[in-house]
């Protein structure tokens, strides 16, 4: 692992799928958490239905009915892993009738030009 | 050039595994190096040796195994995704107290860190999924 | 930067979002069900034709042929590539983003 430590790449995780309907959001988050140990320059982008991953007040308890694992709190824990660059596509958020107040974590809202610029700076793009 | 490949879907259900295979083969034919092929999400199902496809169809699992043998490829299956979906090698089966294992030749089970490492060590990472 | 799109534009908005967020000069490869976005005469032809002024767009010929189409069905300006060409596109661009 020693030689890895010398290389710092820009990793972008692109999240475009809603949570619970499929496993992608949860398993993407698992990669982010493991990846945090590698000390790379990490960013997360939430685009299209991926924005729904950050919706406040997710309740998946057995009492509520879904009976699935609620992983939404993990987004708030990312900061402790030094994963602090969370970007949300403005148009995707607007189209879904959401605002920053609906989101469970602090994010930076990017317009198309800024999002495109951020993507262009990445070395490794992992899409889920 | 050194490529890393990520396969996010299982065999037959999605074209992702076929595309990843054709891409990997073409890259090798052009003299590129494949640092690692990492199987995640339902992609772990590409590694079960228990598939029995009809004779007139391609055998996706065997095809990966053969390519790995021919080119000494590192085919890595994510352990967390594999355990959820019932993919076990001999060691894991023993450790989890299961009565069987089903990993195909040429594949190995390991952690997600192997995917991150592929991203770091490869000059390009190409994702195939749904 | 290379963007790959493997979804039919009729099924998902992957192509639409990709074109919206791709920078000028980026390359876009359509493959798997994404090849339907490269075909003439669909309701997405104007979108793709317009994008050609900013981006190079490629389509994987084997996935076109698998679906009963060929080079003649492709929108003017969209280039066809085989898997070797796909590999070259990946090698020639600094990063690859898959719009799944």
């Amino acid at each position: 692992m020693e030689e890895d430590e010398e290389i710092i790449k820009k990793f972008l995780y692109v999240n475009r799928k809603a949570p619970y309907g499929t496993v992608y959001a949860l398993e993407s988050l698992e990669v982010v958490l493991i990846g945090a140990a590698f000390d790379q320059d990490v960013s997360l982008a939430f685009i299209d239905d991926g924005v729904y991953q950050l919706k406040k007040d997710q309740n998946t308890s057995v009492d509520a009915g879904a009976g699935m694992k609620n992983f939404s709190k993990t987004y708030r824990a990312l900061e402790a892993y030094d994963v602090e660059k969370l970007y949300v596509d403005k148009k995707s958020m607007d189209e879904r009738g959401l605002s920053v107040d609906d989101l469970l974590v602090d994010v930076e809202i990017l317009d198309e030009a800024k999002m495109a610029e951020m993507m262009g700076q990445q070395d490794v793009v992992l899409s889920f | 050039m050194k490529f890393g490949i990520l396969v996010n879907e299982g065999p037959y259900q999605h074209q992702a595994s076929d595309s990843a295979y054709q891409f990997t083969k073409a890259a090798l034919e052009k003299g590129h190096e494949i640092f690692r092929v990492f199987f995640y999400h339902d992609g772990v199902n590409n590694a079960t040796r228990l598939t029995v496809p009809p004779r007139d169809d391609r055998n996706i699992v065997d095809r990966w195994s053969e390519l790995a043998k021919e080119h000494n490829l590192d085919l890595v299956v994510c352990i967390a995704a594999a355990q959820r979906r019932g993919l076990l090698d001999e060691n894991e089966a023993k450790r989890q107290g299961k009565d069987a294992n089903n990993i195909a030749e040429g594949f190995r089970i390991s952690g997600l860190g192997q995917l991150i490492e592929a991203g770091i060590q490869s000059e390009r990472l190409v994702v195939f999924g749904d | 930067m290379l963007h790959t799109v493997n979804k039919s534009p009729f099924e998902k908005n992957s192509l639409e979002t990709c074109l919206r967020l791709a920078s000028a000069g980026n390359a876009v490869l359509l493959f798997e069900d994404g090849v339907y976005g490269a075909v003439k005469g669909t309701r997405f032809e104007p979108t793709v034709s317009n994008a050609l002024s900013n981006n190079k767009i490629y389509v994987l010929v084997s996935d076109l042929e698998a679906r009963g189409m060929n080079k003649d069905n492709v929108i003017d300006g969209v280039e066809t590539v085989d898997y070797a060409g796909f590999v070259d596109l990946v090698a020639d661009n600094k990063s690859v983003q898959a719009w799944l």
Side-chain angles (χ1 to χ4, degrees), chain C residues 18-34:
Chain C
C18 167
L19 294 177
R20 182 163 71 78
L21 296 175
S23 295
N26 285 176
V28 178
L29 172 72
L30 307 175
F31 76 122
E32 297 180 4
D33 287 350

Side-chain angles (χ1 to χ4, degrees), chain B residues 7 17 20 30 42 56-57 63 67-68 71 73 75 78 83 85-86 106 112 117 119 124 127 129:
Chain B
V7 182
S17 179
K30 290 191 79 97
D42 276 358
D56 61 351
D57 201 353
R63 213 166 56 171
L67 196 67
H71 297 276
L73 292 183
L75 306 182
C78 169
Q83 287 181 338
R85 293 164 177 87
L112 271 172
E117 195 198 19
R124 301 285 185 274
V127 181

Side-chain angles (χ1 to χ4, degrees), chain C residues 64-80:
Chain C
L64 262 182
E65 288 177 351
R67 289 160 179 78
M69 299 168 292
N70 58 51
K71 288 176 185 190
D72 298 336
N73 300 106
V74 168
I75 295 166
D76 292 339
V78 173
E79 285 182 39
T80 53

Side-chain angles (χ1 to χ4, degrees), chain B residues 7-82:
Chain B
V7 182
N8 285 339
E9 295 299 332
Y12 304 105
Q13 178 82 9
H14 291 277
Q15 201 184 343
S17 179
D18 290 280
S19 300
Y21 172 82
Q22 301 297 351
F23 181 90
T24 301
K25 208 159 74 93
L28 290 165
E29 278 162 13
K30 290 191 79 97
H32 295 293
E33 184 188 333
I34 301 295
F35 177 77
R36 178 170 295 149
V37 184
F38 192 86
F39 296 87
Y40 195 43
H41 301 299
D42 276 358
V44 298
N45 291 317
N46 285 287
T48 172
R49 65 165 186 270
L50 301 182
T51 52
V52 187
R55 278 174 188 279
D56 61 351
D57 201 353
R58 71 233 188 271
N59 189 319
I60 294 180
V61 176
D62 286 357
R63 213 166 56 171
W64 277 117
S65 291
E66 283 155 20
L67 196 67
K69 200 171 181 183
E70 196 180 333
H71 297 276
N72 201 18
L73 292 183
D74 191 19
L75 306 182
V76 180
V77 178
C78 169
I79 188 163

